[in-house]
Amino acid sequence: MAVKIQTEYGEISLTNEVIATVVGGAATDNYGVVGMASKSQIRDNISEILKRENFSKGVIVRQEGESVAVDVYIIVLYGTKISEICRNVQIQVKYNLETMLGFAAGTVNVFVQGVRVLND
């Protein structure tokens, strides 16, 4: 499925993979986010952190009118405040969607799939 946006010059169509890459990059740039997780870990049989080329497995994109709703699945760092991390991810994802792709994100839902302890 592709998200379609009507502009004064015509229609723009963006695939979910493009949007997922932008969303995944925005989410993983935040402090406290270890990485992206699969939205259905049991079905995909993936329990590890997703790489950049697999961000589409950790992001769900839905078009709602002229805006886009995004579900982001992340793994957070142990010892950090989860609510603050989620709020920062929401803000960063909305900002990146508006500046990089040029459309508004109506809803950004953040789901924490796990907590990891990083060994230094």
mmCIF file of all heavy atoms in Angstrom, residues 81-109:
data_model
loop_
_atom_site.group_PDB
_atom_site.id
_atom_site.type_symbol
_atom_site.label_atom_id
_atom_site.label_comp_id
_atom_site.label_asym_id
_atom_site.label_seq_id
_atom_site.Cartn_x
_atom_site.Cartn_y
_atom_site.Cartn_z
ATOM 1 N N LYS A 81 13.573 6.499 31.561
ATOM 2 C CA LYS A 81 12.154 6.753 31.778
ATOM 3 C C LYS A 81 11.403 6.506 30.467
ATOM 4 O O LYS A 81 11.547 7.265 29.503
ATOM 5 C CB LYS A 81 11.946 8.177 32.266
ATOM 6 C CG LYS A 81 10.561 8.450 32.748
ATOM 7 C CD LYS A 81 10.478 9.800 33.421
ATOM 8 C CE LYS A 81 9.071 10.023 33.937
ATOM 9 N NZ LYS A 81 8.952 11.346 34.550
ATOM 10 N N ILE A 82 10.606 5.460 30.444
ATOM 11 C CA ILE A 82 9.963 5.005 29.220
ATOM 12 C C ILE A 82 8.984 6.044 28.671
ATOM 13 O O ILE A 82 8.920 6.268 27.464
ATOM 14 C CB ILE A 82 9.275 3.644 29.446
ATOM 15 C CG1 ILE A 82 10.340 2.584 29.745
ATOM 16 C CG2 ILE A 82 8.447 3.238 28.243
ATOM 17 C CD1 ILE A 82 9.796 1.234 30.121
ATOM 18 N N SER A 83 8.252 6.719 29.528
ATOM 19 C CA SER A 83 7.282 7.709 29.054
ATOM 20 C C SER A 83 7.965 8.870 28.337
ATOM 21 O O SER A 83 7.464 9.367 27.329
ATOM 22 C CB SER A 83 6.435 8.225 30.213
ATOM 23 O OG SER A 83 7.246 8.873 31.171
ATOM 24 N N GLU A 84 9.119 9.292 28.835
ATOM 25 C CA GLU A 84 9.859 10.376 28.183
ATOM 26 C C GLU A 84 10.432 9.935 26.842
ATOM 27 O O GLU A 84 10.431 10.693 25.874
ATOM 28 C CB GLU A 84 10.989 10.885 29.082
ATOM 29 C CG GLU A 84 10.524 11.770 30.201
ATOM 30 C CD GLU A 84 9.871 13.047 29.692
ATOM 31 O OE1 GLU A 84 10.422 13.703 28.788
ATOM 32 O OE2 GLU A 84 8.786 13.372 30.206
ATOM 33 N N ILE A 85 10.918 8.715 26.791
ATOM 34 C CA ILE A 85 11.445 8.191 25.535
ATOM 35 C C ILE A 85 10.342 8.138 24.487
ATOM 36 O O ILE A 85 10.533 8.566 23.346
ATOM 37 C CB ILE A 85 12.071 6.797 25.743
ATOM 38 C CG1 ILE A 85 13.314 6.903 26.612
ATOM 39 C CG2 ILE A 85 12.404 6.142 24.408
ATOM 40 C CD1 ILE A 85 13.857 5.571 27.061
ATOM 41 N N CYS A 86 9.177 7.642 24.868
ATOM 42 C CA CYS A 86 8.059 7.540 23.928
ATOM 43 C C CYS A 86 7.604 8.913 23.443
ATOM 44 O O CYS A 86 7.327 9.100 22.260
ATOM 45 C CB CYS A 86 6.896 6.789 24.561
ATOM 46 S SG CYS A 86 7.263 5.050 24.869
ATOM 47 N N ARG A 87 7.562 9.887 24.347
ATOM 48 C CA ARG A 87 7.164 11.242 23.965
ATOM 49 C C ARG A 87 8.180 11.835 22.993
ATOM 50 O O ARG A 87 7.817 12.448 21.989
ATOM 51 C CB ARG A 87 7.027 12.137 25.196
ATOM 52 C CG ARG A 87 6.438 13.506 24.890
ATOM 53 C CD ARG A 87 6.256 14.330 26.140
ATOM 54 N NE ARG A 87 7.504 14.642 26.811
ATOM 55 C CZ ARG A 87 8.357 15.598 26.411
ATOM 56 N NH1 ARG A 87 8.099 16.308 25.346
ATOM 57 N NH2 ARG A 87 9.469 15.826 27.087
ATOM 58 N N ASN A 88 9.470 11.635 23.268
ATOM 59 C CA ASN A 88 10.508 12.137 22.370
ATOM 60 C C ASN A 88 10.448 11.469 20.998
ATOM 61 O O ASN A 88 10.677 12.122 19.976
ATOM 62 C CB ASN A 88 11.890 11.948 22.993
ATOM 63 C CG ASN A 88 12.110 12.851 24.175
ATOM 64 O OD1 ASN A 88 11.446 13.871 24.337
ATOM 65 N ND2 ASN A 88 13.041 12.472 25.031
ATOM 66 N N VAL A 89 10.149 10.179 20.972
ATOM 67 C CA VAL A 89 10.010 9.467 19.698
ATOM 68 C C VAL A 89 8.829 10.043 18.913
ATOM 69 O O VAL A 89 8.937 10.280 17.701
ATOM 70 C CB VAL A 89 9.850 7.948 19.926
ATOM 71 C CG1 VAL A 89 9.397 7.240 18.649
ATOM 72 C CG2 VAL A 89 11.148 7.343 20.422
ATOM 73 N N GLN A 90 7.715 10.288 19.578
ATOM 74 C CA GLN A 90 6.555 10.861 18.904
ATOM 75 C C GLN A 90 6.884 12.216 18.280
ATOM 76 O O GLN A 90 6.563 12.470 17.119
ATOM 77 C CB GLN A 90 5.388 11.022 19.875
ATOM 78 C CG GLN A 90 4.745 9.719 20.269
ATOM 79 C CD GLN A 90 3.686 9.911 21.344
ATOM 80 O OE1 GLN A 90 3.786 10.796 22.181
ATOM 81 N NE2 GLN A 90 2.677 9.067 21.305
ATOM 82 N N ILE A 91 7.546 13.068 19.047
ATOM 83 C CA ILE A 91 7.892 14.404 18.558
ATOM 84 C C ILE A 91 8.845 14.312 17.370
ATOM 85 O O ILE A 91 8.655 14.978 16.347
ATOM 86 C CB ILE A 91 8.506 15.248 19.690
ATOM 87 C CG1 ILE A 91 7.439 15.563 20.738
ATOM 88 C CG2 ILE A 91 9.138 16.526 19.161
ATOM 89 C CD1 ILE A 91 7.984 16.158 22.022
ATOM 90 N N GLN A 92 9.872 13.468 17.483
ATOM 91 C CA GLN A 92 10.865 13.348 16.420
ATOM 92 C C GLN A 92 10.276 12.750 15.145
ATOM 93 O O GLN A 92 10.598 13.187 14.040
ATOM 94 C CB GLN A 92 12.052 12.508 16.898
ATOM 95 C CG GLN A 92 13.227 12.503 15.962
ATOM 96 C CD GLN A 92 13.898 13.857 15.886
ATOM 97 O OE1 GLN A 92 13.975 14.568 16.870
ATOM 98 N NE2 GLN A 92 14.370 14.212 14.718
ATOM 99 N N VAL A 93 9.407 11.750 15.287
ATOM 100 C CA VAL A 93 8.783 11.123 14.122
ATOM 101 C C VAL A 93 7.892 12.132 13.400
ATOM 102 O O VAL A 93 7.944 12.263 12.170
ATOM 103 C CB VAL A 93 7.994 9.862 14.527
ATOM 104 C CG1 VAL A 93 7.062 9.411 13.421
ATOM 105 C CG2 VAL A 93 8.949 8.738 14.896
ATOM 106 N N LYS A 94 7.080 12.877 14.151
ATOM 107 C CA LYS A 94 6.223 13.891 13.532
ATOM 108 C C LYS A 94 7.051 14.944 12.812
ATOM 109 O O LYS A 94 6.740 15.336 11.689
ATOM 110 C CB LYS A 94 5.328 14.559 14.580
ATOM 111 C CG LYS A 94 4.149 13.731 14.991
ATOM 112 C CD LYS A 94 3.242 14.513 15.908
ATOM 113 C CE LYS A 94 2.009 13.707 16.238
ATOM 114 N NZ LYS A 94 1.019 14.490 16.971
ATOM 115 N N TYR A 95 8.116 15.393 13.447
ATOM 116 C CA TYR A 95 8.977 16.416 12.843
ATOM 117 C C TYR A 95 9.616 15.912 11.553
ATOM 118 O O TYR A 95 9.615 16.606 10.538
ATOM 119 C CB TYR A 95 10.047 16.853 13.845
ATOM 120 C CG TYR A 95 11.032 17.839 13.274
ATOM 121 C CD1 TYR A 95 10.687 19.174 13.141
ATOM 122 C CD2 TYR A 95 12.290 17.427 12.852
ATOM 123 C CE1 TYR A 95 11.578 20.082 12.595
ATOM 124 C CE2 TYR A 95 13.191 18.327 12.307
ATOM 125 C CZ TYR A 95 12.828 19.656 12.187
ATOM 126 O OH TYR A 95 13.711 20.552 11.644
ATOM 127 N N ASN A 96 10.157 14.700 11.585
ATOM 128 C CA ASN A 96 10.814 14.156 10.391
ATOM 129 C C ASN A 96 9.833 13.914 9.245
ATOM 130 O O ASN A 96 10.172 14.131 8.086
ATOM 131 C CB ASN A 96 11.565 12.874 10.717
ATOM 132 C CG ASN A 96 12.903 13.141 11.340
ATOM 133 O OD1 ASN A 96 13.197 14.242 11.793
ATOM 134 N ND2 ASN A 96 13.732 12.124 11.387
ATOM 135 N N LEU A 97 8.634 13.457 9.553
ATOM 136 C CA LEU A 97 7.640 13.248 8.501
ATOM 137 C C LEU A 97 7.252 14.570 7.852
ATOM 138 O O LEU A 97 7.092 14.648 6.632
ATOM 139 C CB LEU A 97 6.401 12.539 9.051
ATOM 140 C CG LEU A 97 6.556 11.051 9.331
ATOM 141 C CD1 LEU A 97 5.288 10.494 9.955
ATOM 142 C CD2 LEU A 97 6.891 10.284 8.070
ATOM 143 N N GLU A 98 7.119 15.619 8.660
ATOM 144 C CA GLU A 98 6.735 16.915 8.108
ATOM 145 C C GLU A 98 7.864 17.559 7.315
ATOM 146 O O GLU A 98 7.626 18.137 6.259
ATOM 147 C CB GLU A 98 6.276 17.847 9.228
ATOM 148 C CG GLU A 98 4.944 17.442 9.826
ATOM 149 C CD GLU A 98 4.561 18.244 11.042
ATOM 150 O OE1 GLU A 98 5.260 19.214 11.377
ATOM 151 O OE2 GLU A 98 3.543 17.896 11.664
ATOM 152 N N THR A 99 9.101 17.466 7.810
ATOM 153 C CA THR A 99 10.207 18.141 7.122
ATOM 154 C C THR A 99 10.762 17.330 5.957
ATOM 155 O O THR A 99 11.066 17.896 4.914
ATOM 156 C CB THR A 99 11.347 18.472 8.098
ATOM 157 O OG1 THR A 99 11.800 17.279 8.723
ATOM 158 C CG2 THR A 99 10.897 19.468 9.141
ATOM 159 N N MET A 100 10.893 16.024 6.107
ATOM 160 C CA MET A 100 11.502 15.207 5.050
ATOM 161 C C MET A 100 10.518 14.823 3.945
ATOM 162 O O MET A 100 10.887 14.819 2.776
ATOM 163 C CB MET A 100 12.099 13.937 5.634
ATOM 164 C CG MET A 100 13.287 14.168 6.513
ATOM 165 S SD MET A 100 13.832 12.606 7.208
ATOM 166 C CE MET A 100 15.574 12.763 6.964
ATOM 167 N N LEU A 101 9.301 14.471 4.332
ATOM 168 C CA LEU A 101 8.347 13.970 3.348
ATOM 169 C C LEU A 101 7.243 14.965 3.017
ATOM 170 O O LEU A 101 6.523 14.789 2.042
ATOM 171 C CB LEU A 101 7.740 12.646 3.820
ATOM 172 C CG LEU A 101 8.745 11.525 4.069
ATOM 173 C CD1 LEU A 101 8.032 10.273 4.554
ATOM 174 C CD2 LEU A 101 9.562 11.234 2.838
ATOM 175 N N GLY A 102 7.052 15.961 3.851
ATOM 176 C CA GLY A 102 6.109 17.024 3.537
ATOM 177 C C GLY A 102 4.660 16.748 3.853
ATOM 178 O O GLY A 102 3.779 17.388 3.296
ATOM 179 N N PHE A 103 4.363 15.819 4.738
ATOM 180 C CA PHE A 103 2.976 15.640 5.137
ATOM 181 C C PHE A 103 2.876 15.462 6.637
ATOM 182 O O PHE A 103 3.841 15.114 7.303
ATOM 183 C CB PHE A 103 2.290 14.480 4.408
ATOM 184 C CG PHE A 103 2.948 13.150 4.579
ATOM 185 C CD1 PHE A 103 2.645 12.356 5.657
ATOM 186 C CD2 PHE A 103 3.847 12.687 3.640
ATOM 187 C CE1 PHE A 103 3.249 11.129 5.804
ATOM 188 C CE2 PHE A 103 4.448 11.463 3.782
ATOM 189 C CZ PHE A 103 4.146 10.686 4.866
ATOM 190 N N ALA A 104 1.696 15.730 7.162
ATOM 191 C CA ALA A 104 1.483 15.730 8.605
ATOM 192 C C ALA A 104 1.199 14.318 9.111
ATOM 193 O O ALA A 104 0.504 13.547 8.466
ATOM 194 C CB ALA A 104 0.324 16.645 8.966
ATOM 195 N N ALA A 105 1.749 14.030 10.272
ATOM 196 C CA ALA A 105 1.450 12.773 10.957
ATOM 197 C C ALA A 105 0.344 13.055 11.960
ATOM 198 O O ALA A 105 0.533 13.828 12.898
ATOM 199 C CB ALA A 105 2.677 12.228 11.651
ATOM 200 N N GLY A 106 -0.805 12.467 11.761
ATOM 201 C CA GLY A 106 -1.916 12.694 12.664
ATOM 202 C C GLY A 106 -1.710 12.008 13.998
ATOM 203 O O GLY A 106 -1.862 12.604 15.054
ATOM 204 N N THR A 107 -1.324 10.761 13.969
ATOM 205 C CA THR A 107 -1.145 9.977 15.179
ATOM 206 C C THR A 107 0.162 9.202 15.093
ATOM 207 O O THR A 107 0.454 8.590 14.070
ATOM 208 C CB THR A 107 -2.299 8.963 15.336
ATOM 209 O OG1 THR A 107 -3.538 9.648 15.265
ATOM 210 C CG2 THR A 107 -2.215 8.229 16.654
ATOM 211 N N VAL A 108 0.933 9.227 16.192
ATOM 212 C CA VAL A 108 2.130 8.404 16.300
ATOM 213 C C VAL A 108 1.994 7.588 17.582
ATOM 214 O O VAL A 108 2.062 8.132 18.682
ATOM 215 C CB VAL A 108 3.420 9.252 16.330
ATOM 216 C CG1 VAL A 108 4.635 8.348 16.516
ATOM 217 C CG2 VAL A 108 3.560 10.081 15.068
ATOM 218 N N ASN A 109 1.766 6.297 17.434
ATOM 219 C CA ASN A 109 1.650 5.394 18.571
ATOM 220 C C ASN A 109 2.977 4.674 18.748
ATOM 221 O O ASN A 109 3.511 4.113 17.797
ATOM 222 C CB ASN A 109 0.540 4.362 18.342
ATOM 223 C CG ASN A 109 -0.807 5.015 18.153
ATOM 224 O OD1 ASN A 109 -1.185 5.901 18.903
ATOM 225 N ND2 ASN A 109 -1.522 4.593 17.134
#
